[in-house]
Coordinates of all heavy atoms in Angstrom, one line a residue:
M1 N 13.6 35.1 16.2 CA 12.6 35.2 15.2 C 12.2 33.7 14.9 O 13.1 32.9 14.7 CB 13.3 35.8 14.0 CG 12.3 36.0 12.9 SD 13.1 37.2 11.7 CE 12.3 36.5 10.2
T2 N 10.9 33.5 14.8 CA 10.4 32.2 14.6 C 10.1 32.0 13.0 O 9.4 32.9 12.4 CB 9.1 32.0 15.4 OG1 9.3 32.2 16.8 CG2 8.6 30.6 15.3
K3 N 10.5 31.0 12.5 CA 10.2 30.6 11.2 C 8.9 29.8 11.1 O 8.7 28.9 11.7 CB 11.4 29.8 10.6 CG 11.4 29.7 9.1 CD 12.6 29.0 8.7 CE 13.0 29.3 7.3 NZ 14.2 28.6 6.9
R4 N 8.0 30.4 10.2 CA 6.7 29.6 10.0 C 6.9 28.6 8.9 O 7.5 28.9 7.9 CB 5.6 30.6 9.6 CG 5.2 31.4 10.7 CD 4.0 32.2 10.3 NE 3.5 32.8 11.6 CZ 2.4 33.5 11.5 NH1 1.7 33.8 10.5 NH2 1.9 34.1 12.7
T5 N 6.3 27.5 9.1 CA 6.3 26.4 8.2 C 5.0 26.2 7.7 O 4.0 26.2 8.5 CB 7.0 25.1 8.7 OG1 6.2 24.7 9.8 CG2 8.4 25.4 9.0
S6 N 4.8 25.7 6.4 CA 3.5 25.4 5.9 C 3.2 23.9 6.4 O 4.2 23.1 6.6 CB 3.4 25.5 4.4 OG 4.4 24.8 3.8
P7 N 2.0 23.6 6.3 CA 1.7 22.1 6.7 C 2.2 21.2 5.7 O 2.4 21.6 4.5 CB 0.1 22.0 6.5 CG -0.4 23.4 6.5 CD 0.8 24.3 6.1
K8 N 2.6 20.0 6.1 CA 3.3 19.0 5.2 C 2.3 18.6 4.1 O 1.1 18.4 4.4 CB 3.7 17.9 6.0 CG 5.1 17.9 6.6 CD 5.5 16.6 7.2 CE 6.9 16.6 7.6 NZ 7.3 15.3 8.1
K9 N 2.8 18.4 3.0 CA 1.9 17.9 1.8 C 2.1 16.4 1.9 O 3.0 15.8 2.5 CB 2.4 18.4 0.5 CG 2.2 19.8 0.3 CD 2.7 20.4 -1.0 CE 2.5 21.7 -1.2 NZ 2.8 22.3 -2.5
A10 N 1.1 15.7 1.4 CA 1.1 14.2 1.4 C 2.3 13.8 0.6 O 2.5 14.3 -0.4 CB -0.2 13.7 0.8
S11 N 3.1 12.9 1.2 CA 4.3 12.4 0.6 C 3.9 11.3 -0.4 O 3.1 10.5 -0.2 CB 5.2 11.8 1.6 OG 6.3 11.2 1.0
L12 N 4.6 11.2 -1.5 CA 4.4 10.2 -2.5 C 5.4 9.0 -2.3 O 5.6 8.2 -3.2 CB 4.6 10.8 -3.9 CG 3.5 11.7 -4.4 CD1 3.7 12.2 -5.8 CD2 2.1 11.0 -4.2
K13 N 6.0 9.0 -1.2 CA 7.0 8.0 -0.8 C 6.3 6.9 0.1 O 5.6 7.2 0.9 CB 8.2 8.7 0.0 CG 9.4 7.8 0.2 CD 10.5 8.6 0.8 CE 11.7 7.7 1.0 NZ 12.8 8.4 1.7
D14 N 6.6 5.8 -0.3 CA 6.1 4.6 0.5 C 6.6 4.6 1.9 O 7.8 5.1 2.2 CB 6.5 3.2 -0.2 CG 5.8 3.1 -1.5 OD1 4.8 3.9 -1.9 OD2 6.2 2.1 -2.2
W15 N 5.8 4.1 2.8 CA 6.3 4.0 4.3 C 7.4 3.2 4.3 O 7.5 2.0 3.6 CB 5.2 3.5 5.2 CG 4.1 4.5 5.4 CD1 3.7 5.5 4.7 CD2 3.1 4.3 6.5 NE1 2.5 6.1 5.3 CE2 2.1 5.4 6.4 CE3 2.9 3.4 7.5 CZ2 1.1 5.5 7.2 CZ3 1.8 3.5 8.3 CH2 0.9 4.6 8.3
H16 N 8.3 3.4 5.3 CA 9.4 2.4 5.5 C 8.8 1.1 6.2 O 7.8 1.2 6.9 CB 10.4 3.0 6.5 CG 11.6 2.3 6.6 ND1 11.8 1.3 7.5 CD2 12.9 2.3 6.0 CE1 13.0 0.7 7.4 NE2 13.7 1.3 6.5
R17 N 9.5 0.0 6.0 CA 8.9 -1.3 6.6 C 8.9 -1.2 8.1 O 7.8 -1.6 8.7 CB 9.8 -2.3 6.2 CG 9.5 -3.7 6.7 CD 10.6 -4.8 6.4 NE 10.2 -6.1 6.9 CZ 9.7 -7.0 6.3 NH1 9.5 -6.9 4.9 NH2 9.4 -8.2 6.8
A18 N 9.8 -0.5 8.7 CA 9.7 -0.4 10.2 C 8.5 0.5 10.7 O 7.9 0.2 11.6 CB 11.1 0.2 10.7
D19 N 8.2 1.4 9.8 CA 7.0 2.2 10.2 C 5.8 1.5 10.2 O 4.8 1.7 10.9 CB 6.9 3.5 9.3 CG 8.2 4.4 9.5 OD1 8.7 4.5 10.6 OD2 8.5 5.1 8.5
I20 N 5.7 0.6 9.1 CA 4.4 -0.2 8.9 C 4.3 -1.2 10.1 O 3.2 -1.3 10.7 CB 4.5 -1.0 7.6 CG1 4.5 0.1 6.5 CG2 3.3 -2.0 7.6 CD1 4.8 -0.6 5.1
V21 N 5.5 -1.8 10.4 CA 5.4 -2.8 11.6 C 5.2 -2.1 12.9 O 4.3 -2.5 13.7 CB 6.8 -3.5 11.6 CG1 6.9 -4.3 13.1 CG2 7.0 -4.5 10.5
A22 N 5.7 -0.9 13.0 CA 5.4 -0.1 14.3 C 3.9 0.3 14.4 O 3.3 0.2 15.4 CB 6.2 1.2 14.3
A23 N 3.3 0.7 13.3 CA 1.9 1.0 13.2 C 1.0 -0.2 13.5 O 0.0 -0.1 14.3 CB 1.4 1.6 11.9
L24 N 1.4 -1.4 13.0 CA 0.7 -2.7 13.3 C 0.8 -3.0 14.7 O -0.2 -3.3 15.4 CB 1.3 -3.8 12.5 CG 0.8 -4.0 11.0 CD1 1.7 -4.9 10.4 CD2 -0.7 -4.3 10.9
R25 N 2.0 -2.9 15.4 CA 2.1 -3.1 16.7 C 1.3 -2.2 17.7 O 0.7 -2.5 18.6 CB 3.6 -3.1 17.2 CG 4.4 -4.2 16.5 CD 5.7 -4.5 17.3 NE 6.5 -5.5 16.7 CZ 6.3 -6.8 16.9 NH1 5.5 -7.2 17.7 NH2 7.1 -7.6 16.3
K26 N 1.3 -1.0 17.2 CA 0.5 0.1 18.0 C -1.0 -0.3 17.9 O -1.7 0.0 18.8 CB 0.7 1.5 17.3 CG 0.1 2.5 18.2 CD 0.5 4.0 17.5 CE 0.0 5.1 18.4 NZ 0.4 6.3 17.8
A27 N -1.4 -0.9 16.7 CA -2.8 -1.3 16.6 C -3.1 -2.6 17.3 O -4.2 -3.1 17.2 CB -3.2 -1.3 15.2
G28 N -2.0 -3.3 17.9 CA -2.2 -4.5 18.6 C -2.0 -5.7 17.7 O -2.4 -6.9 18.0
W29 N -1.3 -5.6 16.6 CA -1.0 -6.7 15.6 C 0.4 -6.9 15.4 O 1.2 -6.0 15.6 CB -1.7 -6.5 14.3 CG -3.2 -6.5 14.3 CD1 -4.1 -5.4 14.4 CD2 -4.1 -7.6 14.3 NE1 -5.4 -5.8 14.4 CE2 -5.4 -7.2 14.3 CE3 -3.8 -9.0 14.3 CZ2 -6.4 -8.1 14.4 CZ3 -4.9 -9.9 14.3 CH2 -6.2 -9.4 14.3
S30 N 0.7 -8.1 14.7 CA 2.0 -8.2 14.2 C 1.8 -8.9 12.8 O 0.6 -9.4 12.6 CB 2.9 -9.2 15.0 OG 2.3 -10.6 15.0
L31 N 2.7 -8.9 11.9 CA 2.5 -9.6 10.6 C 2.1 -11.0 10.7 O 1.2 -11.5 10.1 CB 3.6 -9.4 9.7 CG 3.8 -8.0 9.1 CD1 5.3 -7.9 8.3 CD2 2.7 -7.7 8.1
R32 N 2.8 -11.7 11.7 CA 2.5 -13.1 11.8 C 1.1 -13.3 12.3 O 0.4 -14.2 11.9 CB 3.6 -13.7 12.8 CG 5.0 -13.7 12.3 CD 6.0 -14.2 13.3 NE 5.8 -15.6 13.6 CZ 6.4 -16.6 12.9 NH1 7.1 -16.3 11.9 NH2 6.1 -17.9 13.2
R33 N 0.7 -12.6 13.3 CA -0.5 -12.8 14.0 C -1.7 -12.4 13.0 O -2.7 -13.1 13.0 CB -0.6 -11.9 15.3 CG -1.7 -12.3 16.1 CD -1.6 -11.8 17.6 NE -2.8 -11.5 18.0 CZ -3.4 -10.3 18.4 NH1 -2.6 -9.2 18.5 NH2 -4.6 -10.2 18.8
L34 N -1.4 -11.4 12.3 CA -2.4 -11.0 11.3 C -2.6 -12.1 10.1 O -3.7 -12.4 9.8 CB -2.0 -9.7 10.6 CG -3.1 -8.9 9.8 CD1 -4.3 -8.5 10.7 CD2 -2.4 -7.6 9.2
A35 N -1.6 -12.6 9.7 CA -1.6 -13.7 8.7 C -2.3 -14.9 9.3 O -3.2 -15.5 8.6 CB -0.1 -14.1 8.3
T36 N -2.0 -15.3 10.5 CA -2.7 -16.6 11.0 C -4.2 -16.2 11.3 O -5.1 -17.1 11.2 CB -2.0 -17.1 12.3 OG1 -1.9 -16.0 13.3 CG2 -0.7 -17.6 12.0
H37 N -4.5 -15.0 11.8 CA -5.9 -14.6 12.0 C -6.8 -14.6 10.7 O -7.9 -15.1 10.9 CB -5.8 -13.1 12.6 CG -7.3 -12.5 12.7 ND1 -8.0 -12.9 13.7 CD2 -8.0 -11.7 11.9 CE1 -9.2 -12.3 13.6 NE2 -9.1 -11.5 12.5
H38 N -6.1 -14.4 9.6 CA -6.8 -14.4 8.3 C -6.7 -15.8 7.7 O -7.1 -16.0 6.5 CB -6.4 -13.3 7.4 CG -6.8 -11.9 7.8 ND1 -8.1 -11.6 7.6 CD2 -6.3 -11.0 8.5 CE1 -8.4 -10.4 8.1 NE2 -7.3 -10.0 8.6
G39 N -6.2 -16.8 8.3 CA -6.2 -18.2 7.9 C -5.1 -18.6 7.0 O -5.3 -19.6 6.3
Y40 N -4.1 -17.9 6.9 CA -3.0 -18.3 6.0 C -2.2 -19.3 6.8 O -1.9 -19.2 7.9 CB -2.0 -17.1 5.7 CG -2.7 -16.1 4.7 CD1 -3.3 -14.9 5.2 CD2 -2.8 -16.5 3.3 CE1 -3.9 -14.1 4.3 CE2 -3.4 -15.7 2.5 CZ -4.0 -14.4 3.0 OH -4.7 -13.6 2.1
A41 N -1.8 -20.4 6.0 CA -1.0 -21.5 6.5 C 0.4 -21.1 7.1 O 0.8 -21.5 8.1 CB -0.9 -22.6 5.5
S42 N 1.0 -20.2 6.3 CA 2.3 -19.8 6.7 C 2.2 -18.4 7.5 O 1.6 -17.4 6.9 CB 3.2 -19.6 5.4 OG 4.4 -18.9 5.9
P43 N 2.7 -18.3 8.5 CA 2.6 -16.9 9.3 C 3.4 -15.8 8.7 O 3.3 -14.6 9.0 CB 3.2 -17.3 10.7 CG 3.9 -18.5 10.5 CD 3.4 -19.2 9.4
T44 N 4.3 -16.2 7.7 CA 5.1 -15.1 7.0 C 4.5 -14.7 5.8 O 5.1 -13.9 5.0 CB 6.6 -15.5 6.9 OG1 6.4 -16.8 6.0 CG2 7.2 -15.9 8.2
T45 N 3.3 -15.1 5.3 CA 2.7 -14.8 4.1 C 2.5 -13.3 3.9 O 2.9 -12.8 2.8 CB 1.3 -15.5 4.1 OG1 1.5 -16.9 4.1 CG2 0.6 -15.1 2.7
L46 N 2.1 -12.5 4.9 CA 1.9 -11.1 4.6 C 3.2 -10.3 4.4 O 3.1 -9.2 4.0 CB 1.0 -10.5 5.8 CG -0.4 -11.0 5.8 CD1 -1.2 -10.4 7.0 CD2 -1.1 -10.5 4.5
S47 N 4.3 -10.9 4.7 CA 5.5 -10.2 4.6 C 5.8 -10.0 3.1 O 6.6 -9.0 2.7 CB 6.8 -10.8 5.2 OG 6.9 -12.1 4.6
V48 N 5.2 -10.8 2.2 CA 5.2 -10.6 0.7 C 4.8 -9.2 0.3 O 5.3 -8.5 -0.5 CB 4.4 -11.6 0.0 CG1 4.3 -11.3 -1.5 CG2 5.0 -13.1 0.2
A49 N 3.7 -8.7 1.0 CA 3.1 -7.4 0.7 C 4.0 -6.3 1.0 O 3.9 -5.1 0.6 CB 1.8 -7.1 1.4
M50 N 5.0 -6.5 1.9 CA 6.0 -5.5 2.3 C 7.0 -5.4 1.2 O 7.6 -4.2 1.1 CB 6.7 -5.9 3.6 CG 5.7 -6.2 4.8 SD 5.0 -4.6 5.4 CE 6.2 -4.3 6.6
E51 N 7.3 -6.3 0.4 CA 8.4 -6.4 -0.6 C 7.9 -6.1 -2.0 O 8.7 -5.4 -2.7 CB 9.1 -7.7 -0.5 CG 9.7 -8.1 0.9 CD 10.6 -7.1 1.4 OE1 11.4 -6.5 0.6 OE2 10.6 -6.9 2.6
R52 N 6.7 -6.5 -2.3 CA 6.3 -6.3 -3.6 C 4.8 -6.1 -3.6 O 4.1 -6.5 -2.7 CB 6.6 -7.4 -4.6 CG 6.2 -8.8 -4.2 CD 6.7 -9.9 -5.2 NE 6.0 -11.1 -4.9 CZ 6.6 -12.1 -4.3 NH1 7.8 -12.0 -3.8 NH2 6.0 -13.2 -4.0
P53 N 4.2 -5.5 -4.7 CA 2.8 -5.3 -4.7 C 1.9 -6.6 -4.6 O 2.1 -7.6 -5.3 CB 2.5 -4.7 -6.1 CG 3.8 -4.1 -6.5 CD 4.9 -5.0 -5.9
W54 N 1.0 -6.6 -3.7 CA 0.1 -7.7 -3.5 C -1.2 -7.1 -2.9 O -1.3 -6.8 -1.7 CB 0.7 -8.8 -2.6 CG -0.3 -10.0 -2.3 CD1 -1.2 -10.5 -3.3 CD2 -0.5 -10.7 -1.1 NE1 -1.8 -11.5 -2.7 CE2 -1.4 -11.7 -1.3 CE3 0.1 -10.6 0.2 CZ2 -1.9 -12.5 -0.4 CZ3 -0.3 -11.4 1.1 CH2 -1.2 -12.4 0.9
P55 N -2.2 -6.7 -3.7 CA -3.3 -5.9 -3.2 C -4.1 -6.5 -2.1 O -4.4 -5.8 -1.1 CB -4.2 -5.8 -4.5 CG -3.2 -5.9 -5.6 CD -2.2 -6.8 -5.1
K56 N -4.3 -7.8 -2.1 CA -5.0 -8.4 -0.9 C -4.3 -8.3 0.4 O -4.9 -7.9 1.4 CB -5.3 -9.9 -1.2 CG -6.2 -10.6 -0.2 CD -6.5 -11.9 -0.5 CE -7.4 -12.5 0.5 NZ -7.8 -14.0 0.3
G57 N -2.9 -8.6 0.3 CA -2.2 -8.4 1.6 C -2.0 -6.9 2.0 O -2.1 -6.8 3.2
Q58 N -1.8 -6.1 1.1 CA -1.8 -4.6 1.4 C -3.0 -4.2 2.1 O -3.1 -3.4 3.1 CB -1.5 -3.8 0.1 CG -0.2 -4.1 -0.5 CD 0.0 -3.6 -1.9 OE1 0.9 -4.0 -2.5 NE2 -0.9 -2.9 -2.4
Q59 N -4.2 -4.7 1.6 CA -5.5 -4.2 2.2 C -5.6 -4.8 3.6 O -6.1 -4.1 4.5 CB -6.7 -4.8 1.3 CG -8.0 -4.3 1.7 CD -8.1 -2.8 1.5 OE1 -7.9 -2.3 0.5 NE2 -8.4 -2.1 2.7
L60 N -5.2 -6.0 3.9 CA -5.3 -6.7 5.2 C -4.5 -5.8 6.2 O -4.9 -5.5 7.3 CB -4.9 -8.1 5.2 CG -5.8 -9.0 4.5 CD1 -5.2 -10.4 4.3 CD2 -7.1 -9.2 5.1
I61 N -3.3 -5.5 5.8 CA -2.4 -4.7 6.6 C -3.0 -3.4 6.9 O -3.0 -2.8 8.0 CB -1.0 -4.5 5.9 CG1 -0.3 -6.0 6.0 CG2 0.0 -3.5 6.7 CD1 1.0 -6.0 5.1
A62 N -3.4 -2.7 5.8 CA -3.9 -1.3 5.9 C -5.3 -1.3 6.8 O -5.4 -0.5 7.7 CB -4.4 -0.7 4.5
D63 N -6.1 -2.4 6.6 CA -7.2 -2.5 7.6 C -6.9 -2.6 9.0 O -7.6 -2.0 9.8 CB -8.2 -3.6 7.1 CG -8.9 -3.4 5.8 OD1 -8.9 -2.2 5.4 OD2 -9.4 -4.4 5.2
A64 N -5.9 -3.4 9.2 CA -5.4 -3.6 10.7 C -4.9 -2.2 11.3 O -5.1 -2.0 12.5 CB -4.4 -4.6 10.7
I65 N -4.2 -1.4 10.4 CA -3.8 -0.2 10.9 C -4.9 0.9 11.0 O -4.8 1.8 11.8 CB -2.6 0.4 10.0 CG1 -1.4 -0.6 10.1 CG2 -2.2 1.8 10.4 CD1 -0.3 -0.2 9.0
G66 N -5.8 0.8 10.1 CA -7.0 1.6 10.1 C -6.9 2.8 9.1 O -7.4 3.8 9.2
I67 N -6.1 2.5 8.0 CA -6.0 3.5 6.9 C -6.1 2.9 5.5 O -6.1 1.7 5.4 CB -4.7 4.4 7.0 CG1 -3.5 3.4 6.9 CG2 -4.6 5.1 8.3 CD1 -2.1 4.2 6.8
D68 N -6.0 3.7 4.5 CA -6.1 3.2 3.1 C -4.8 2.7 2.7 O -3.8 3.3 3.0 CB -6.6 4.4 2.3 CG -7.0 3.9 0.8 OD1 -7.8 3.1 0.7 OD2 -6.3 4.5 -0.2
P69 N -4.7 1.6 1.9 CA -3.4 1.1 1.5 C -2.6 2.1 0.6 O -1.4 2.1 0.7 CB -3.7 -0.1 0.7 CG -5.2 -0.4 0.8 CD -5.8 0.7 1.5
A70 N -3.4 3.0 -0.1 CA -2.7 4.0 -0.9 C -1.9 5.0 -0.1 O -1.0 5.6 -0.6 CB -3.7 4.7 -1.8
E71 N -2.3 5.1 1.2 CA -1.6 6.0 2.0 C -0.3 5.4 2.5 O 0.8 6.0 2.7 CB -2.4 6.4 3.3 CG -1.9 7.4 4.1 CD -2.8 7.9 5.2 OE1 -4.1 7.8 5.1 OE2 -2.2 8.3 6.3
I72 N -0.2 4.1 2.6 CA 1.1 3.4 3.0 C 2.0 3.1 1.8 O 3.2 3.4 1.9 CB 0.6 2.0 3.6 CG1 -0.2 2.1 4.8 CG2 1.9 1.2 4.0 CD1 -0.8 0.8 5.3
W73 N 1.4 2.8 0.6 CA 2.1 2.6 -0.6 C 1.7 3.4 -1.8 O 1.1 2.9 -2.7 CB 2.0 1.1 -1.0 CG 2.6 0.1 0.1 CD1 3.9 -0.2 0.2 CD2 1.8 -0.7 1.0 NE1 4.0 -1.1 1.2 CE2 2.7 -1.4 1.8 CE3 0.5 -0.8 1.2 CZ2 2.4 -2.3 2.7 CZ3 0.1 -1.7 2.3 CH2 1.0 -2.5 3.0
P74 N 1.9 4.7 -1.7 CA 1.4 5.5 -2.8 C 2.0 5.2 -4.1 O 1.3 5.4 -5.1 CB 1.8 7.0 -2.3 CG 2.8 6.7 -1.3 CD 2.6 5.4 -0.7
S75 N 3.1 4.7 -4.2 CA 3.7 4.4 -5.5 C 3.1 3.2 -6.2 O 3.1 3.0 -7.4 CB 5.2 4.0 -5.3 OG 5.4 2.8 -4.6
R76 N 2.4 2.3 -5.4 CA 1.7 1.2 -5.9 C 0.2 1.6 -6.3 O -0.4 0.8 -6.9 CB 1.6 0.1 -4.9 CG 3.1 -0.4 -4.5 CD 2.8 -1.5 -3.5 NE 4.2 -1.9 -2.9 CZ 4.3 -2.8 -2.0 NH1 3.4 -3.5 -1.5 NH2 5.6 -3.1 -1.5
Y77 N -0.2 2.7 -5.9 CA -1.6 3.2 -6.2 C -1.7 4.4 -7.0 O -2.6 5.3 -6.8 CB -2.4 3.2 -4.8 CG -2.7 2.0 -4.3 CD1 -1.7 1.4 -3.4 CD2 -3.8 1.2 -4.6 CE1 -2.0 0.1 -2.8 CE2 -4.1 0.0 -3.9 CZ -3.1 -0.5 -3.1 OH -3.3 -1.7 -2.4
Q78 N -0.7 4.7 -7.8 CA -0.7 5.9 -8.7 C -1.9 5.8 -9.7 O -2.5 4.6 -9.9 CB 0.6 6.1 -9.3 CG 1.7 6.5 -8.4 CD 3.1 6.6 -9.0 OE1 3.2 6.1 -10.1 NE2 3.9 7.2 -8.3
D79 N -2.1 6.8 -10.5 CA -3.1 6.8 -11.4 C -3.1 5.6 -12.4 O -2.1 5.3 -13.1 CB -3.0 8.0 -12.3 CG -4.1 8.2 -13.3 OD1 -5.1 7.5 -13.2 OD2 -4.1 9.1 -14.0
K80 N -4.1 4.8 -12.3 CA -4.2 3.6 -13.1 C -4.1 3.8 -14.6 O -3.4 3.0 -15.3 CB -5.5 2.8 -12.8 CG -5.6 2.4 -11.4 CD -4.7 1.3 -10.9 CE -4.9 0.9 -9.6 NZ -3.9 0.2 -9.0
N81 N -4.6 4.9 -15.1 CA -4.4 5.1 -16.5 C -3.1 5.4 -17.0 O -2.7 4.9 -18.0 CB -5.3 6.3 -16.9 CG -6.8 6.1 -16.7 OD1 -7.2 4.9 -16.9 ND2 -7.6 7.1 -16.5
T82 N -2.2 6.1 -16.1 CA -0.8 6.3 -16.4 C -0.1 5.1 -16.5 O 0.6 4.9 -17.4 CB -0.3 7.3 -15.4 OG1 -1.1 8.5 -15.4 CG2 1.2 7.6 -15.7
T83 N -0.3 4.2 -15.6 CA 0.4 2.9 -15.6 C 0.0 2.1 -16.7 O 0.8 1.4 -17.3 CB 0.0 2.2 -14.1 OG1 0.3 3.0 -13.1 CG2 0.8 0.9 -14.1
R84 N -1.3 2.0 -17.1 CA -1.8 1.2 -18.1 C -1.2 1.7 -19.5 O -0.8 0.9 -20.4 CB -3.2 1.2 -18.2 CG -3.8 0.4 -17.0 CD -5.3 0.4 -17.1 NE -5.7 -0.6 -18.1 CZ -6.9 -0.7 -18.7 NH1 -7.8 0.2 -18.4 NH2 -7.2 -1.5 -19.6
D85 N -1.1 3.1 -19.7 CA -0.6 3.6 -20.9 C 0.8 3.3 -21.1 O 1.3 3.0 -22.2 CB -0.8 5.1 -21.0 CG -2.2 5.5 -21.1 OD1 -3.1 4.7 -21.5 OD2 -2.6 6.7 -20.8
Q86 N 1.6 3.3 -19.9 CA 3.0 3.0 -20.0 C 3.3 1.5 -20.4 O 4.3 1.2 -21.0 CB 3.7 3.3 -18.6 CG 3.7 4.7 -18.3 CD 4.3 5.0 -16.9 OE1 4.4 4.1 -16.2 NE2 4.6 6.2 -16.7
K87 N 2.3 0.7 -20.1 CA 2.4 -0.7 -20.4 C 2.0 -1.1 -21.8 O 2.0 -2.2 -22.2 CB 1.8 -1.6 -19.4 CG 2.3 -1.6 -18.0 CD 1.6 -2.4 -17.0 CE 2.1 -2.4 -15.7 NZ 1.4 -3.3 -14.7
G88 N 1.5 -0.1 -22.5 CA 1.1 -0.3 -23.8 C -0.4 -0.8 -24.0 O -0.8 -1.2 -25.0
H89 N -1.2 -0.7 -22.9 CA -2.5 -1.2 -23.1 C -3.4 -0.1 -23.7 O -3.0 1.2 -23.4 CB -3.2 -1.4 -21.6 CG -2.5 -2.6 -21.0 ND1 -2.9 -3.9 -21.4 CD2 -1.6 -2.8 -20.1 CE1 -2.2 -4.7 -20.7 NE2 -1.4 -4.1 -19.8
R90 N -4.4 -0.4 -24.3 CA -5.3 0.7 -25.0 C -6.3 1.1 -24.0 O -6.8 0.4 -23.2 CB -5.9 0.2 -26.1 CG -5.0 -0.3 -27.3 CD -5.8 -0.8 -28.5 NE -6.8 -1.8 -28.2 CZ -7.6 -2.3 -29.2 NH1 -7.5 -1.9 -30.4 NH2 -8.5 -3.2 -28.8
D91 N -6.6 2.4 -24.0 CA -7.6 2.9 -23.1 C -9.0 2.7 -23.7 O -9.1 2.3 -24.8 CB -7.4 4.4 -22.6 CG -7.4 5.4 -23.8 OD1 -7.8 4.9 -24.9 OD2 -7.1 6.5 -23.6
E92 N -10.0 3.1 -23.0 CA -11.4 2.8 -23.5 C -11.7 3.4 -24.8 O -12.4 3.0 -25.7 CB -12.4 3.2 -22.4 CG -13.8 2.8 -22.8 CD -14.6 2.4 -21.6 OE1 -14.0 2.1 -20.5 OE2 -15.9 2.2 -21.7
A93 N -11.2 4.7 -24.9 CA -11.5 5.6 -26.2 C -10.8 4.8 -27.4 O -11.5 4.6 -28.4 CB -10.9 6.9 -26.1
D94 N -9.7 4.2 -27.2 CA -9.1 3.5 -28.3 C -9.9 2.1 -28.6 O -9.9 1.8 -29.8 CB -7.6 3.0 -28.0 CG -6.7 4.2 -27.9 OD1 -7.0 5.3 -28.5 OD2 -5.6 4.1 -27.3
R95 N -10.4 1.5 -27.6 CA -11.1 0.3 -27.9 C -12.4 0.6 -28.7 O -12.9 -0.1 -29.5 CB -11.4 -0.4 -26.5 CG -10.3 -1.2 -26.0 CD -10.8 -1.9 -24.8 NE -9.8 -1.5 -23.8 CZ -10.2 -1.2 -22.5 NH1 -11.4 -1.3 -22.1 NH2 -9.4 -0.7 -21.7
K96 N -13.1 1.8 -28.3 CA -14.3 2.0 -29.0 C -14.1 2.4 -30.5 O -14.9 2.1 -31.3 CB -15.0 3.3 -28.3 CG -15.6 2.8 -27.0 CD -16.4 3.9 -26.3 CE -17.0 3.5 -25.0 NZ -17.6 4.6 -24.3
A97 N -13.0 3.0 -30.7 CA -12.6 3.5 -32.1 C -12.2 2.3 -32.9 O -12.3 2.3 -34.1 CB -11.4 4.6 -32.1
A98 N -11.7 1.2 -32.3 CA -11.2 0.1 -33.1 C -12.2 -0.8 -33.7 O -13.3 -0.8 -33.4 CB -10.3 -0.8 -32.3

């Protein structure tokens, strides 16, 4: 008897570092080569985006792979309103009422 499985849902888990590096290599890049290609003095500059949020670096890496950065790092691109509310920022409705 064969068990049917439903298609995978999009995961909200960030890609593993090794998966990002493998996707870059498959696309013909390395983090070092990508950094120097974009004019960074230090070839290890883009490794910062692997460890902590850095939108510009994330975008460069995602462009090299050919996908959206939110697909690689979904935890960094969650609903902006939720993140702002958690940090205590007022939303637009609060600003207009004030």
Side-chain angles (χ1 to χ4, degrees):
M1 185 167 150
T2 307
K3 192 178 207 180
R4 288 192 171 179
T5 59
S6 60
K8 276 189 169 181
K9 292 182 180 178
S11 175
L12 293 178
K13 190 174 180 184
D14 292 351
W15 287 20
H16 189 276
R17 180 185 180 102
D19 295 329
I20 298 169
V21 171
L24 281 169
R25 291 199 184 275
K26 189 174 182 180
W29 291 100
S30 68
L31 282 172
R32 295 176 67 87
R33 196 163 148 240
L34 194 59
T36 55
H37 174 78
H38 287 284
Y40 289 102
S42 173
T44 59
T45 300
L46 288 177
S47 64
V48 170
M50 304 287 270
E51 303 302 324
R52 62 180 185 261
W54 179 37
K56 185 176 181 179
Q58 292 164 191
Q59 187 65 55
L60 292 174
I61 292 168
D63 287 346
I65 295 172
I67 60 173
D68 189 58
E71 191 174 329
I72 302 171
W73 297 283
S75 69
R76 300 180 188 182
Y77 290 90
Q78 290 175 346
D79 185 8
K80 299 292 183 193
N81 292 332
T82 303
T83 306
R84 292 180 75 197
D85 291 344
Q86 290 173 351
K87 291 181 180 178
H89 294 284
R90 298 186 306 180
D91 64 6
E92 187 144 345
D94 290 340
R95 279 186 239 136
K96 287 181 181 177

